[in-house]
Amino acid sequence: MTRSTLRIGAGAGFSGDRIEPALDLIEHGGLDYLAFECLAERTIGLAQAARAADPQAGFDPLLETRMRRALPLAAPRGVRIVTNMGAANTLGAARKVTEIARELGLPGYRTAAVTGDDVLDLVLAGDYPLIDRPGTSRDLGDAIVSANAYLGAQGIVMALGQGADTVITGRVCDPALFLGPLAHELGWSFDDHAMMGQGTVIGHLLECAGQVCGGYFADPGVKDVPDLARLGFPYADVGRDGVAVLGKLAGSGGRIDTATVKEQLLYEILDPAAYLQADVSADFRHVRIEQAGQDRVRVSGGMGARAPDKLKVSIAYHDGYAGEGQISYAGPGATARGRLAIEIIRERLRIIGARVEELRCDLIGVDAVDRRGHGGDPAEVRVRIAARTPCAQSATMIGAEVEALYTNGPMGGGGVTRSVRKVLAVASTLIARDLIQPRVHLEIA
Amino acid sequence: MPGILREIAHVRTGDKGDISQIAVFALNDADYHRLLAAVTPERVAAHLPGLLPRLIRRYELPALGAINLVLEGALQGGVTRSLSLDAHGKTLGAQLLDLPLLPE
């Protein structure tokens, strides 16, 4: 038995997102489902490293906080939750949610873990060409930390079919967090490429949560967004035919109109005719976006073709260290003193023999992010020296030399900060989809 | 005076690995042809001389009044490896907004 419409909301657009708009949506949104998208490309590598240090860890650090606050509101209203907060420990995350459900007095609460995305063994046993840089997976050798395939929505549909109240995944395509509930509830077939394409459009519009409501949109005087401090998160009312109407809670901040929806539609897609997902090659070229009322936008016309035969796999690997130091100069001649400081640091790093693979020197406020080459003469300038190095010792030298500018550099430098971090890089490859199968594990409180 | 892009368009910038993606939208559908004329890969590359992408692809989306620019190799290795202060290249689209428009 499938229903005729479904209301699905977005609870997070990244791991560190705000929680208040999600709680408002659960409480006042009349939702059927809420999806939290919390897994950026390199987050899973960091999570894998956390799990290596503590076998109980490796899922999203905010999972516990989010679920402790969301479950008491969602469970009595029958709002089902889908999230990729499982990261590198999906089973552990499902057990944690079940533990929370027990503590909250929700006997029988069903939490499913969808696994199968972890393909580390497959990658270590094989040799796969990398798609975004020269070389193969074997070249990365012992530096490899994790390898995760982008699964589609099928595992989520399986979990919902088993009656899960919350579904936790690791790496899945972001729109699949929304496509799964839509396919399950509205009876869409995975062979129906047009519906998979339209479902992907809806998921893509919702996956960044606040962004479609006017987050990342405001440019005062040109594109104003009301009450941005109370920015709400979006929901979509979706019919069996795939036509969606996006909306947000009355009284929440932000705006949803054709401009905010268009910006989000193209956000981080490359070829609009072929947005490659595990479930479909989605075609956004003929999407229609129409105002349907105050803060309501109708979206239709997403199309699609058969999904690629191979799934994208992200491989996280250790790639040395990054060291950084910053110092500020102000007043007349600030830029010239900043440039002198940079020259001194460049030479000193050579003198002390720091092993620097790549060095970057910026004058923040002049040439750090400006690619137009305008330059300038600001009232103050911040010097930033950053380097990638093969060892922590050399990375430490970067900040140390910047700090030494206090007594060994140009006049009037102040406010030194310094840092060292391990670099966790990500490379991508493709693996045949028949080698990768989603599995569902159900935990009951 | 032909003016600058900001007067007829809005933008959003994203990233995928070492690729920067800038979507440019006409504020009014009637200005879409001016957008097409002004925002060419050649003019974008000349306007952002410090960017040095390997390749700029332009996708036209007349139904949306939009252009999608895909700038390959524009992010110094991408967010995980780049030493850039703006490793995502999130500020790039805004820097395109003072691109001069062409005379009508």
Side-chain angles (χ1 to χ4, degrees):
Chain A
M1 192 54 195
T2 56
R3 61 173 92 205
S4 59
T5 65
L6 190 75
R7 177 171 285 193
I8 183 165
F14 74 104
S15 170
D17 211 341
R18 306 187 67 239
I19 189 167
E20 291 77 10
L23 301 177
D24 285 346
L25 266 188
I26 300 173
E27 206 170 354
H28 306 293
L31 299 182
D32 300 302
Y33 282 83
L34 184 70
F36 294 95
E37 197 289 285
C38 296
L39 201 55
E41 193 175 45
R42 68 171 159 172
T43 316
I44 204 159
L46 296 169
Q48 204 67 254
R51 189 184 184 179
D54 172 6
Q56 307 300 314
F59 48 79
D60 189 287
L62 287 178
L63 173 107
E64 191 166 347
T65 309
R66 283 204 173 94
M67 295 307 280
R68 276 192 192 283
R69 296 187 67 182
L71 275 194
L73 299 172
R77 291 172 175 83
V79 179
R80 300 169 89 176
I81 294 171
V82 182
T83 179
N84 53 12
M85 278 190 275
N89 188 0
T90 308
L91 279 172
R95 289 190 191 115
K96 174 57 78 178
V97 173
T98 302
E99 187 186 309
I100 293 168
R102 278 195 202 110
E103 279 178 39
L104 293 170
L106 299 169
Y109 195 85
R110 296 159 85 90
T111 304
V114 177
T115 61
D117 61 305
D118 187 335
V119 292
L120 181 60
D121 291 343
L122 210 55
V123 167
L124 292 179
D127 193 17
Y128 298 91
L130 303 177
I131 54 175
D132 38 17
R133 45 168 285 182
T136 67
S137 59
R138 191 157 285 168
D139 299 337
L140 302 175
D142 294 343
I144 293 179
V145 174
S146 64
N148 293 82
Y150 281 81
L151 302 182
Q154 269 164 333
I156 297 168
V157 170
M158 283 156 53
L160 294 173
Q162 293 180 27
D165 298 298
T166 282
V167 180
I168 313 254
T169 75
R171 172 60 69 214
V172 297
C173 297
D174 294 350
L177 297 172
F178 300 87
L179 183 57
L182 293 173
H184 172 70
E185 295 286 351
L186 301 173
W188 295 350
S189 160
F190 282 84
D191 298 325
D192 186 339
H193 303 313
M195 217 48 105
M196 291 295 112
Q198 172 66 7
T200 296
V201 167
I202 297 163
H204 180 69
L205 289 173
L206 294 173
E207 69 175 74
C208 291
Q211 279 195 178
V212 82
C213 294
Y216 214 55
F217 183 86
D219 192 359
V222 181
K223 296 191 297 173
D224 288 305
V225 177
D227 204 8
L228 202 42
R230 288 179 186 76
L231 184 73
F233 286 172
Y235 60 79
D237 291 315
V238 187
R240 257 190 217 164
D241 59 359
V243 175
V245 177
L246 299 181
K248 66 183 188 68
L249 290 180
S252 65
R255 58 185 258 197
I256 297 184
D257 55 28
T258 56
T260 66
V261 175
K262 282 181 186 178
E263 280 200 16
Q264 184 59 29
L265 182 70
L266 297 189
Y267 179 67
E268 293 187 342
I269 71 155
L270 304 178
D271 181 353
Y275 181 51
L276 300 179
Q277 299 288 297
D279 297 308
V280 66
S281 169
D283 183 349
F284 288 10
R285 286 174 299 175
H286 309 292
V287 172
R288 282 186 301 281
I289 292 169
E290 303 155 298
Q291 200 73 41
Q294 171 85 33
D295 290 320
R296 292 182 68 74
V297 171
R298 183 183 299 105
V299 180
S300 60
M303 302 293 289
R306 209 168 75 92
D309 293 329
K310 292 181 174 179
L311 297 183
K312 183 175 170 180
V313 171
S314 286
I315 302 171
Y317 63 101
H318 285 303
D319 192 13
Y321 293 79
E324 185 176 324
Q326 295 188 11
I327 185 168
S328 286
Y329 294 93
T335 303
R337 278 177 281 135
R339 291 201 196 285
L340 175 58
I342 287 172
E343 280 171 38
I344 292 167
I345 295 289
R346 280 185 188 281
E347 191 158 350
R348 285 199 178 137
L349 289 174
R350 276 194 294 273
I351 291 168
I352 64 173
R355 295 169 65 197
V356 171
E357 288 171 345
E358 186 182 343
L359 184 69
R360 185 180 167 104
C361 304
D362 296 318
L363 293 180
I364 297 175
V366 178
D367 62 8
V369 299
D370 178 43
R371 301 283 164 190
R372 296 167 300 177
H374 286 184
D377 197 11
E380 64 173 66
V381 63
R382 188 149 178 89
V383 174
R384 172 177 177 269
I385 313 284
R388 199 168 42 248
T389 65
C391 59
Q393 194 190 5
S394 284
T396 306
M397 292 174 181
I398 310 301
E401 285 296 350
V402 172
E403 190 167 68
L405 290 170
Y406 273 142
T407 53
N408 301 269
M411 177 273 279
V416 169
T417 56
R418 49 187 288 192
S419 66
V420 172
R421 66 177 169 89
K422 255 181 163 170
V423 175
L424 192 66
V426 178
S428 302
T429 188
L430 300 170
I431 295 185
R433 63 166 63 234
D434 51 8
L435 297 175
I436 301 166
Q437 295 299 331
R439 289 182 297 279
V440 175
H441 311 256
L442 203 60
E443 299 274 327
I444 300 174
Chain B
M1 282 291 286
I4 60 171
L5 185 61
R6 192 179 192 219
E7 293 161 20
I8 67 162
H10 58 111
V11 297
R12 180 171 295 183
T13 315
D15 69 293
K16 270 266 180 343
D18 199 16
I19 300 171
S20 174
Q21 171 267 333
I22 304 174
V24 187
F25 305 83
L27 286 166
N28 295 303
D29 290 344
D31 285 327
Y32 185 54
H33 70 286
R34 297 184 69 197
L35 202 64
L36 286 178
V39 186
T40 62
E42 297 74 25
R43 295 191 86 230
V44 170
H47 185 72
L48 304 171
L51 194 58
L52 303 172
R54 285 191 303 274
L55 180 68
I56 304 181
R57 291 181 205 278
R58 182 177 98 157
Y59 298 98
E60 295 173 20
L61 294 143
L64 298 170
I67 289 169
N68 197 34
L69 294 169
V70 174
L71 302 97
E72 292 184 14
L75 297 179
Q76 294 91 47
V79 64
T80 56
R81 296 192 87 240
S82 171
L83 294 175
S84 173
L85 186 62
D86 175 19
H88 293 89
K90 294 273 192 187
T91 62
L92 293 173
Q95 295 179 44
L96 201 56
L97 287 176
D98 60 355
L99 179 77
L101 297 174
L102 295 169
E104 290 227 53

